């Protein structure tokens, strides 16, 4: 069964600090992995998408890594800001499969 | 341009009533998805429309759930005889393509509460 597991479930850090969120998946055959940011009461917004051949991708202060051999990904946030408070969702797609497998997300809270 | 819009933003209904949730995708997007997000759970796929092809209904949890997409644009998700376990946020997403790498753009969701 295709699964995506994220850790930690929740995280609280001080403004300006860095943090790293983890994602492990069992989706096979693998096509791509995405990280979404979901603000409270809003729909998810894409941060990065990585295919099998990519092992890192950045979007501003967000840097995602992918290890397709170990089926792990991480999302690193640098110099956190209050606006980074949100849920971060890891989503994996299989080859030839239009359905995405979603993780349950990490709830990140940035405190001043 | 305008993003994906959904209406209503919130819906409270009594158990046993029928509800209709609406999704307006981004103009020109051929693919449309419905998802359900329950408290503390990941997004759950419900149904997928692609152009004029028959929809993929494999994620619908029961025959009380149905969806239509008229004219390849607006979609309506209907839940008949609502139950308390149907309470969730229902998200719609549209995509310009069918490849698994195609970006999906999400609407803000409809929060459904069944009392």
């Amino acid at each position: 069964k295709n699964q995506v597991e994220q850790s930690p479930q929740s995280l609280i850090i001080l403004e300006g600090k860095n943090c790293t969120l983890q994602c492990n998946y069992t989706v096979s055959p693998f096509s791509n992995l995405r990280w979404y940011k979901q603000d409270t009461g809003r729909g998810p917004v894409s941060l990065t998408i990585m295919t099998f051949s990519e092992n890192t991708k950045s979007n501003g202060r967000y840097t995602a890594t992918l290890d397709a051999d170990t089926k792990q990904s991480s999302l690193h946030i640098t110099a956190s800001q209050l606006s980074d408070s949100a849920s971060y969702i890891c989503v994996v797609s299989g080859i030839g499969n239009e359905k995405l497998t979603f993780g349950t997300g990490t709830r990140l809270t940035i405190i001043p | 341009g305008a993003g994906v819009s959904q209406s209503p933003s919130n819906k409270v209904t009594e158990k046993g009533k029928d509800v209709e949730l609406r999704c307006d995708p981004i103009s020109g997007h051929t693919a449309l998805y419905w998802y359900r997000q329950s408290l503390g759970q990941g997004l759950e796929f419900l149904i997928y429309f692609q152009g004029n092809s028959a929809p993929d209904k494999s994620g619908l949890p029961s025959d009380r759930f149905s969806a239509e997409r008229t004219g390849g644009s607006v979609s309506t998700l209907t839940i008949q005889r609502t139950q308390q376990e149907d309470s969730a946020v229902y998200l719609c997403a549209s995509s310009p393509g069918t490849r698994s790498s195609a970006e999906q753009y999400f609407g803000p969701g409809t929060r459904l509460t069944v009392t």
Side-chain angles (χ1 to χ4, degrees):
Chain A
K1 180 181 176 182
N2 291 334
Q3 287 187 314
V4 176
E5 295 183 351
Q6 293 187 242
S7 62
Q9 281 190 323
S10 62
L11 181 63
I12 301 173
I13 64 171
L14 290 173
E15 185 180 11
K17 297 295 186 182
N18 304 335
C19 66
T20 300
L21 314 181
Q22 302 291 342
C23 172
N24 297 332
Y25 63 91
T26 62
V27 177
S28 183
F30 173 82
S31 175
N32 60 78
L33 183 147
R34 314 156 194 233
W35 283 93
Y36 281 88
K37 177 186 179 187
Q38 185 175 22
D39 293 311
T40 301
R42 311 288 286 272
V45 174
S46 179
L47 295 175
T48 64
I49 178 170
M50 289 184 291
T51 60
F52 183 89
S53 60
E54 298 173 295
N55 55 26
T56 187
K57 183 166 280 189
S58 291
N59 178 359
R61 294 179 296 101
Y62 300 101
T63 299
T65 65
L66 173 65
D67 185 334
D69 290 333
T70 62
K71 296 186 170 65
Q72 296 179 325
S73 176
S74 66
L75 180 69
H76 186 75
I77 304 174
T78 303
S80 60
Q81 300 176 358
L82 296 178
S83 59
D84 293 332
S85 294
S87 288
Y88 291 83
I89 305 172
C90 177
V91 186
V92 182
S93 174
I95 292 175
N97 187 352
E98 306 307 331
K99 301 173 202 172
L100 305 178
T101 302
F102 290 79
T104 55
T106 292
R107 177 70 206 174
L108 177 64
T109 303
I110 311 298
I111 57 176
Chain B
V4 178
S5 62
Q6 292 186 244
S7 61
S9 55
N10 283 283
K11 176 72 176 179
V12 180
T13 189
E14 292 181 351
K15 177 182 174 181
K17 301 288 188 182
D18 298 351
V19 294
E20 285 190 352
L21 313 180
R22 177 186 169 105
C23 172
D24 281 274
I26 294 173
S27 177
H29 281 194
T30 57
L32 187 147
Y33 304 78
W34 281 99
Y35 297 93
R36 178 168 68 176
Q37 187 174 33
S38 302
L39 191 62
Q41 304 293 317
L43 273 73
E44 173 189 6
F45 166 80
L46 296 177
I47 188 169
Y48 159 65
F49 295 90
Q50 171 52 43
N52 295 321
S53 302
D56 178 348
K57 305 179 181 180
S58 60
L60 295 178
S62 78
D63 58 9
R64 296 186 295 105
F65 288 72
S66 63
E68 292 183 339
R69 189 180 185 192
T70 54
S73 181
V74 172
S75 178
T76 302
L77 177 69
T78 301
I79 309 173
Q80 296 178 309
R81 304 180 303 281
T82 52
Q83 303 294 314
Q84 288 186 330
E85 61 262 29
D86 299 334
S87 295
V89 175
Y90 290 83
L91 289 161
C92 172
S94 71
S95 174
T98 60
R99 292 167 57 88
S100 59
S101 60
E103 185 62 75
Q104 292 190 20
Y105 297 84
F106 285 83
T110 293
R111 180 173 295 279
L112 174 66
T113 303
V114 181
T115 60

